[in-house]
Amino acid sequence: ADHSPQVKAFVTQDIPLYHNLEMKHLPGADPELVLLSRRYEELERIPLSDMTREEINQLVQELGFYRKETPDARVPEEFQFAPAKPLPILLHPQAATTDGKTPPKRDKEEHPDL
């Protein structure tokens, strides 16, 4: 599945500006925003495929992510842990990834890649 140019633009140009927003690339997976609690429990998944770049940016900011002016800009103290609620991981692995590091599917309770 090829991702829409909108999502691709967000991933390449916007993600580096967001503090605590992580990209995991999975070949062939549909882009989803996966919100995790501090204990890395999955809270919700938001499919991004049909959204425009604008909408995704708006969504991420509504969720409380801090957007920096440039990728290396300093993040103010009060935003170090922003968003206070979830930590998202984009494109959460559904199954073992091709690099062979991921153990067999137990994706709910474990995050071997952290």
Side-chain angles (χ1 to χ4, degrees):
D2 216 21
H3 304 327
S4 76
Q6 294 280 335
V7 175
K8 206 164 243 147
F10 172 76
V11 166
T12 54
Q13 292 157 52
D14 297 318
I15 285 185
L17 296 173
Y18 285 102
H19 182 56
N20 286 344
L21 188 60
E22 250 184 272
M23 171 72 193
K24 289 205 156 62
H25 188 72
L26 290 185
D30 279 334
E32 291 181 310
L33 190 64
V34 178
L35 301 177
L36 301 177
S37 72
R38 289 218 172 256
R39 289 169 43 215
Y40 295 97
E41 295 157 338
E42 195 176 295
L43 302 176
E44 75 177 297
R45 287 177 179 237
I46 305 163
L48 301 180
S49 339
D50 310 331
M51 294 172 72
T52 67
R53 180 181 175 182
E54 277 301 291
E55 290 171 326
I56 302 171
N57 271 296
Q58 205 177 334
L59 168 74
V60 170
Q61 288 173 48
E62 279 167 15
L63 290 169
F65 287 93
Y66 178 71
R67 186 183 167 110
K68 302 175 281 189
E69 291 304 307
T70 63
D72 332 319
R74 256 192 86 257
V75 175
E77 206 50 53
E78 67 268 29
F79 291 111
Q80 284 299 328
F81 298 104
K85 30 176 211 229
L87 293 170
I89 290 187
L90 219 56
L91 302 189
H92 193 59
Q94 288 286 11
T97 46
T98 45
D99 61 18
K101 281 204 297 283
T102 319
K105 196 174 156 104
R106 284 180 59 189
D107 61 36
K108 270 287 187 256
E109 60 287 322
E110 292 199 3
H111 285 262
D113 49 354
L114 288 177

